[in-house]
Amino acid sequence: MYQQILDPVAHSLAWSSLVAALPLLTLFVLLGVLRVTAWAASLVSLALALAIAILVYGMPAGQALLAGSEGAAFGFFPILWIVINAIWVFQMTVETGHFDVLRRSFAQVSDDQRIQAIIIAFSFGALIEALAGFGTPVAVTSVMLIALGFKPLKAAVVALTANTAPVAFGAMATPIITLGKVTGLPSDTLGAMVGRQTPILAVFVPLALVVIVDGLRGLRETWPAALVCGVVFAIGQYATSNFISVPLADVVASLLSAAAVVALVRIWRPREPYGEPAVIAGGAADEPTPEFAGRVGRPDARADVVRAYAPYAIIIVVFVIGQIPAVKSLLDRATYVVKWPGLHLLNAKGGVSPLPTFTFNLLTTPGTQMLVAGVITMIALRLSVPRALRAYGATLHQLRWAIVTVMAVLALAFVMNASGQTITLGTWMAGAGAAFALLSPILGWLGVAVTGSDTSSNSLFGALQVTAAGRAGLSEVLMAAANSSGGVLGKMISPQNLAIAAAAVGLNGREGDIFRRVIAWSLLFLACLCVLSALQASPVLSWMVP
């Protein structure tokens, strides 16, 4: 049995926090400065976290290793289980050549890559986030952008940056529901508060996307489409989360924003469409396959167009069916909750830690539902079983280093959580008093940067946010919501999601390059959210707090 310690270094939270932050600092320096591959950087940081847990925090070596093993298992199931099956669906469209059909069909809506980035990465990505979450939107939208001719690095950066504003309501509002459970606050109230923060962020994300695609020229020439998309999404997310249903916030907002942009481009188009020559990346079908090469110069058959869209329609239908209460209840019968063997932890107050509890939700996990969608896709695309299995094998080969990275990063997160390193950092920040309103989103950002999940960050820091709010005389609802809202901005720099993006576009080993492209956007948006949180805690915007 190990009990967490908050201040092992000279009984000082400040010094202990400095030591506790070393694994994260090492990870980001190795990735962003020294350009070490993500799997190697993750393993080095994991080793450092284990050393600090054992030598500084006094955690028994066996307990530390068991915590890491649980994290690695969680990294594979459910995280990698989702990504592997999502990329498999993509590989089957490559195998049959329907990926090329999809590219040409999207080009008919708009042949401007700036508009395509808005519709696919932001609106469609938000819909996938609403239904699945856990890195699925990055995996799906990045390869769709590749199909449209985006360069691999740009596709990854666009997909990661777009996967921000929708995250707090992802996977049918799982982060908000989790936050309600750990804080004891009503999830509807928390959802309403988050719905008064992230919609403001959503207005600016599409504008950032067109800048990423085409710089300031892209902003000058396509700001009407970006602004329409952001504003409509913001209104939809705010109205749905506050007055209709928190779990449906992203579903409604994504569909409304996509419809608004499609309607706009029917009456308005940029003066000159922007596009780049397609390049081959990591085996993705960025040039027409031989099976469909002859159709480049003439329209695709309607049946082929329907089949090209079928995988994504199937994904949506499968996930929607999975959310029907009666179906979800039936699938939940295959959910098993177990205690991780040999791992026994107490929190700093002496209570039993929930960390060793591992949930095998075999049928309700998005990964299994994505597998079902893949099998249906195989039938819809008329792909034989041997070809489908070859595509699955190609997927595993493509993701081999991402698998190592994600499992190592989650092992790192679990070791830091189990030993008390993460709580040390959070408790130190919570001692800022009234200034905590400014720092609260940073805590959520840090949690997602470590774990790759807004749900995990809320589990980790939600109760701490409420406690700190009580001590500082701040709104508990506001601080808890700020944790979730700030967390969405840590998603794009999480090593887990960097690895997913790199693997999806065939840039294994270049996670550091992607990190350097997204870190500035992450910090810029985080700074704005911190200011918003501080203003909402002050008389200036206190009227926004329910």
Side-chain angles (χ1 to χ4, degrees), residues 100-118:
D100 306 311
V101 180
L102 182 71
R103 171 169 55 195
R104 294 192 288 273
S105 178
F106 263 112
Q108 291 177 2
V109 176
S110 175
D111 57 354
D112 192 304
Q113 288 187 344
R114 299 164 297 189
I115 305 297
Q116 294 167 350
I118 295 170

Side-chain angles (χ1 to χ4, degrees), residues 136-319:
T136 313
V138 173
V140 172
T141 62
S142 58
V143 295
M144 289 182 73
L145 293 174
I146 288 283
L148 294 169
F150 279 70
K151 292 181 178 179
L153 183 60
K154 186 175 288 186
V157 173
V158 167
L160 285 166
T161 306
N163 191 221
T164 47
V167 168
F169 296 98
M172 289 295 164
T174 298
I176 304 295
I177 294 170
T178 302
L179 186 61
K181 288 181 180 178
V182 300
T183 61
L185 299 172
S187 57
D188 286 344
T189 305
L190 291 169
M193 185 65 242
V194 173
R196 303 177 191 196
Q197 292 177 325
T198 56
I200 297 173
L201 174 67
V203 172
F204 298 99
V205 172
L207 295 169
L209 297 183
V210 298
V211 172
I212 292 171
V213 174
D214 191 29
L216 293 179
R217 181 183 63 179
L219 185 62
R220 287 194 306 269
E221 295 183 359
T222 58
W223 67 265
L227 193 60
V228 164
C229 181
V231 169
V232 171
F233 185 94
I235 293 173
Q237 194 181 59
Y238 162 73
T240 307
S241 62
N242 277 264
F243 306 114
I244 302 175
S245 167
V246 173
L248 292 178
D250 278 350
V251 174
V252 173
S254 61
L255 293 175
L256 288 177
S257 63
V261 176
V262 171
L264 177 66
V265 297
R266 289 180 179 273
I267 59 174
W268 169 91
R269 290 181 181 271
R271 285 180 298 178
E272 295 182 9
Y274 173 82
E276 295 178 349
V279 294
I280 297 177
D286 303 309
E287 292 185 349
T289 57
E291 186 175 349
F292 280 81
R295 297 184 179 174
V296 176
R298 59 187 177 86
D300 294 296
R302 179 172 296 180
D304 287 327
V305 174
V306 171
R307 290 194 190 99
Y309 281 94
Y312 305 99
I314 290 168
I315 290 171
I316 293 171
V317 170
V318 169
F319 279 115

Side-chain angles (χ1 to χ4, degrees), residues 369-395:
Q369 294 175 10
M370 187 67 73
L371 178 64
V372 172
V375 173
I376 299 173
T377 295
M378 178 185 73
I379 298 171
L381 299 184
R382 300 176 181 176
L383 195 66
S384 66
V385 173
R387 291 179 71 189
L389 290 176
R390 281 199 301 270
Y392 207 98
T395 300

